[in-house]
Amino acid sequence: MEELLRKITAHAEDILIEGGRKVAKPYRVVAVAAVLKNPWVGRGFVENLKPEIDAIAPRLGEFLVPRLLEIIGGADKVEAYGKAAVVGTSGEIEHASALIHTLRFGNQLRQAVEGTSYLSFTNKRAGPGCSIDIPLKHITAEGTRSHFLTTTFAIADAPGADEIVVALGASTSGRPHHRIGDRYEDMKEMGVDQTGKAAA
């Protein structure tokens, strides 16, 4: 996998003021990304993507998860997480999806932070300097709206036409001054169950 990897980037924000008001507990949002050559470009339509998924996705997790946790201050600091992939213009969106929609990749972060929620995600095709958005959600309480966040960054020279950017994101808390309640509160008030149907 290392022969495909061009570089790893990191982006971090420490939020101190939101809405003109000081944040009681400053929080950090971090994203790390790998820029790698698309292993399927130039081969025509590849029916079976699994050999490359099995070979590359676990290694990407091994590269990215420790960097993410180091920048954010440790696994115990992570309250929300997510992932993203962007394929260059010579590839398919399926190529981006292949490397992040596998337990061989996502489980490495989920297990490291003792999460149970699936990682929110985006996957798309775009060119160098595009906006890379990573939606985040609480690592265990999926309906906790305070942790519905998006971290956004860009890499000036990636993805190239024959590249894929694979990224992970995390935050140390939810939105500052969050005050819209949780999905669970709505369910209780509306008398509905987990599916949105009226509770018996």
Side-chain angles (χ1 to χ4, degrees):
M1 199 281 293
E2 286 82 345
E3 67 276 8
L4 301 176
L5 191 62
R6 179 161 71 85
K7 66 177 177 179
I8 295 176
T9 71
H11 174 81
E13 291 184 276
D14 292 304
I15 312 302
L16 307 177
I17 295 175
E18 178 71 17
R21 178 178 293 186
K22 186 176 179 181
V23 176
K25 176 188 174 184
Y27 78 97
R28 174 166 282 198
V29 183
V30 173
V32 295
V35 180
L36 66 151
K37 183 174 177 59
N38 184 335
W40 298 289
V41 163
R43 296 169 52 188
F45 186 87
V46 179
E47 187 66 42
N48 182 13
L49 306 181
K50 195 171 188 307
E52 290 78 16
I53 293 171
D54 290 350
I56 297 170
R59 297 289 289 138
L60 284 174
E62 292 170 9
F63 272 97
L64 295 178
V65 171
R67 286 168 170 79
L68 182 75
L69 298 182
E70 178 182 3
I71 296 169
I72 208 165
D76 61 323
K77 299 292 194 298
V78 176
E79 290 189 10
Y81 53 29
K83 59 188 177 183
V86 184
V87 67
T89 54
S90 292
E92 302 174 44
I93 294 176
E94 191 73 358
H95 297 163
S97 302
L99 295 181
I100 63 170
H101 297 310
T102 168
L103 296 180
R104 292 169 176 79
F105 177 70
N107 266 6
Q108 295 192 49
L109 178 55
R110 190 165 24 248
Q111 291 169 359
V113 302
E114 299 182 356
T116 56
S117 302
Y118 71 84
L119 277 71
S120 295
F121 64 89
T122 58
N123 38 243
K124 66 180 183 180
R125 180 171 47 238
C130 69
S131 173
I132 302 171
D133 297 316
I134 307 179
L136 309 177
K137 67 189 304 183
H138 196 282
I139 63 172
T140 57
E142 295 189 4
T144 303
R145 292 183 180 137
S146 58
H147 289 63
F148 291 176
L149 296 157
T150 302
T151 185
T152 300
F153 66 102
I155 305 172
D157 64 348
D162 64 346
E163 292 182 326
I164 303 174
V165 175
V166 173
L168 288 172
S171 72
T172 59
S173 74
R175 298 185 309 278
H177 319 315
H178 56 85
R179 50 198 187 276
I180 63 171
D182 286 342
R183 182 172 186 268
Y184 312 114
E185 295 169 10
D186 282 358
M187 291 168 59
K188 184 176 180 181
E189 291 172 3
M190 297 171 66
V192 298
D193 62 17
Q194 294 284 346
T195 66
K197 296 179 180 178

